[in-house]
Amino acid sequence: MFVHIDCNNFFVSCELVSRPELQGTPVVVANENENHGGIILALNQEAKAVGLKRGNPLFQVTKIIERNHVTVIDVHHNLYHEISGHIMDVVRQSEMVLDFVQYSVDEFFGVMPDDDPVRLRNYLQQLKDLIWQETQIPVSCGAGLTYTLAKTATYFAKHYKGYHGICVMPADKRQQALLQVPAKDIWGIGWRSIKVLQQRNVETAWAFTQLSEQVVKSLFGIRGVRTWSELKGIPALVLTGKSARQQSIMYSRTFAQMIGSKEALLTQLNNFTSAACRRLRAQKSLCTSVSLFVATNRHREDLPQYHNDQTIRLHTATDDTIEISSAVKVLLDRLFRSGYLYKQAGVILSGLQESDGIQLDMFADNYVEESNRRKKLMQVFDRINAKHGSNKLHFSGQGEASGEQMAGFMRPHKIEDDTD
């Protein structure tokens, strides 16, 4: 059966490894800055119990934090990726899981060559105990006939204490389980799709499987059909080391101070672009689309509100910071509106493909020569920054304090899941 391993309250769990004295006390991880701004990114059960939630702006919950002696820890993405890699090594060395793949910083998939629920649960318990013993990170585990059903099983492992962090979903329990899963919690169903399902009175995962394939395809395309098939117990997804790499890279930030200047906003966006391109090259990918979004402070109802986003599709896939920064500038020219104070902005690189096998632009003069020259330049930048600091060498359009060193939240991946 397919198995899914999900780290519990991962950001907080990572922080507690080095600060065990905080175990049993309310702890949150946030992008706190010198002005006490930012939002809560992750929290443990004790913090949830006092009324805090993921996404709470810190300034709105100051009294709750002070009254309940909540510890606020700044986010450390490098630490989380390091521990995630350690978990990968532990599971691989155990040789208990086949085709083991890291799907995100806190999620993993694999295969166990057994379909007996009792034996599977015993194996997963051994694996769960081993991960805890070696890393001190608590995990929840699920097993099912497909990747999607395995992740759905983890949903039960997280939400129902009776499972003790492990849920195996055999074929004869599939209908019973899917009847209890809200449609909004189906893995692979986005918020736009949820609205479509609500219009059709599809409230559960089981109800979704009862739609015809033709209807699902017309509404959600081939990706929706794959999710539909997986929920019906028919494997339709393939996850390998290459396919599990990030399919998009996003860097965004909620600014400590609102920004009204186009030049100042562009400086921040250039910082994001540089960091995103470093990650793009690190995973040996190229992007074909660049997106930009900007937004004002929705909590300041006394101020004019504006939010917008746009995308540019590149003629040729690239990992060149200079080229991608040029696209970001074009997008900002289109999106920027004077008279507004911007609180958040972000750059998204998507349409990723492997860096070998690039399709050249046949209309570009001397493209190969110029591409090779730029590639060498980017390698020099990455090598120097890797040795001396993530932003020791930067382009003129960037600020002095960029990347992860800037105050505020910079996210190269999703905010941690809010489930237990």
Side-chain angles (χ1 to χ4, degrees):
M1 294 184 86
F2 294 91
V3 298
H4 175 244
I5 299 172
D6 197 357
C7 302
N8 300 340
N9 306 317
F10 185 53
F11 292 1
V12 173
S13 296
C14 290
E15 299 291 348
L16 292 180
V17 170
S18 59
R19 302 181 65 175
E21 71 277 6
L22 295 177
Q23 290 282 359
T25 68
V27 179
V28 304
V29 170
N31 60 317
E32 188 179 21
N33 55 50
E34 66 276 9
N35 296 315
H36 304 292
I39 61 173
I40 294 176
L41 309 181
L43 62 171
N44 61 2
Q45 290 302 115
E46 290 79 6
K48 294 175 185 178
V50 301
L52 297 176
K53 296 181 180 179
R54 179 176 60 86
N56 282 150
L58 289 176
F59 77 90
Q60 289 186 353
V61 293
T62 301
K63 291 183 179 180
I64 296 178
I65 290 173
E66 293 176 349
R67 183 168 59 248
N68 294 280
H69 306 289
V70 178
T71 302
V72 180
I73 302 176
D74 196 17
V75 63
H76 299 107
H77 287 300
N78 290 339
L79 171 66
Y80 312 147
H81 282 280
E82 180 181 342
I83 293 178
S84 179
H86 190 189
I87 293 173
M88 282 288 295
D89 293 339
V90 168
V91 176
R92 282 175 173 164
Q93 291 170 12
S94 74
E95 298 184 344
M96 295 177 64
V97 182
L98 304 177
D99 301 325
F100 192 56
V101 169
Q102 179 181 8
Y103 183 76
S104 68
V105 71
D106 60 347
E107 287 186 89
F108 311 86
F109 284 98
V111 176
M112 282 188 168
D114 201 329
D115 58 4
D116 180 80
V118 175
R119 287 197 298 268
L120 269 173
R121 181 175 179 82
N122 289 336
Y123 292 147
L124 288 174
Q125 184 65 59
Q126 293 177 42
L127 197 60
K128 180 179 168 71
D129 292 343
L130 179 63
I131 293 172
W132 172 258
Q133 177 183 334
E134 296 294 330
T135 69
Q136 299 298 295
I137 300 296
V139 301
S140 296
C141 305
L145 298 174
T146 66
Y147 286 121
T148 303
L149 289 176
K151 186 171 173 70
T152 303
T154 306
Y155 171 90
F156 287 96
K158 282 177 168 282
H159 285 80
Y160 297 91
K161 293 183 179 180
Y163 285 103
H164 301 290
I166 299 173
C167 177
V168 178
M169 187 192 301
D172 60 347
K173 300 294 184 181
R174 183 176 65 88
Q175 178 178 350
Q176 179 182 348
L178 296 185
L179 281 169
Q180 300 177 59
V181 178
K184 65 181 180 63
D185 291 325
I186 299 173
W187 182 44
I189 298 294
W191 64 269
R192 289 187 179 90
S193 300
I194 292 300
K195 292 182 178 180
V196 176
L197 292 177
Q198 289 174 342
Q199 291 171 358
R200 290 178 168 264
N201 295 318
V202 175
E203 301 293 338
T204 66
W206 177 254
F208 177 65
T209 66
Q210 300 310 293
L211 297 175
S212 70
E213 180 176 353
Q214 183 178 3
V215 168
V216 173
K217 187 173 184 179
S218 67
L219 293 174
F220 311 115
I222 189 62
R223 291 186 179 182
V225 172
R226 288 177 183 148
T227 298
W228 175 83
S229 298
E230 289 255 324
L231 288 173
K232 291 174 77 68
I234 304 169
L237 297 178
V238 177
L239 298 181
T240 65
K242 291 183 178 180
S243 66
R245 70 176 65 200
Q246 287 179 286
Q247 296 304 300
S248 65
I249 296 175
M250 177 174 70
Y251 272 79
S252 71
R253 180 183 172 194
T254 300
F255 304 120
Q257 301 291 339
M258 291 180 284
I259 297 175
S261 161
K262 183 178 180 180
E263 291 71 23
L265 188 56
L266 180 60
T267 297
Q268 300 289 0
L269 293 172
N270 283 334
N271 291 331
F272 301 165
T273 302
S274 180
C277 289
R278 285 199 304 270
R279 184 171 295 277
L280 188 67
R281 292 189 290 270
Q283 72 173 44
K284 294 180 170 55
S285 293
L286 306 171
C287 76
T288 59
S289 295
V290 181
S291 301
L292 173 65
F293 70 86
V294 296
T296 54
N297 190 344
R298 61 187 178 88
H299 299 290
R300 290 290 304 274
E301 297 180 357
D302 57 315
L303 297 176
Q305 297 294 308
Y306 170 71
H307 61 88
N308 205 348
D309 62 88
Q310 280 202 18
T311 298
I312 285 180
R313 183 166 179 81
L314 305 173
H315 291 296
T316 305
T318 184
D319 60 7
D320 188 323
T321 302
I322 298 174
E323 187 173 349
I324 295 172
S325 294
S326 296
V328 169
K329 185 179 184 303
V330 171
L331 288 168
L332 183 61
D333 289 340
R334 295 177 183 175
L335 292 175
F336 186 83
R337 300 288 184 274
S338 59
Y340 292 93
L341 295 176
Y342 295 91
K343 184 65 175 176
Q344 187 180 38
V347 173
I348 305 170
L349 308 183
S350 56
L352 305 192
Q353 58 183 250
E354 295 179 46
S355 57
D356 53 348
I358 179 175
Q359 182 176 353
L360 302 180
D361 183 356
M362 63 183 296
F363 299 106
D365 295 331
N366 301 320
Y367 180 85
V368 175
E369 180 181 349
E370 176 65 13
S371 178
N372 288 335
R373 188 183 71 82
R374 289 284 189 86
K375 184 175 183 179
K376 291 179 181 179
L377 177 61
M378 295 302 110
Q379 288 173 345
V380 170
F381 264 74
D382 292 343
R383 188 162 57 247
I384 292 175
N385 285 327
K387 183 177 181 179
H388 298 288
S390 64
N391 199 46
K392 195 71 174 180
L393 187 63
H394 60 265
F395 294 98
S396 59
Q398 293 179 241
E400 293 183 358
S402 66
E404 290 79 0
Q405 298 173 356
M406 293 188 299
F409 176 39
M410 197 119 162
R411 65 169 178 263
H413 52 72
K414 69 175 187 178
I415 296 178
E416 186 185 349
D417 189 9
D418 194 32
T419 50
D420 299 342

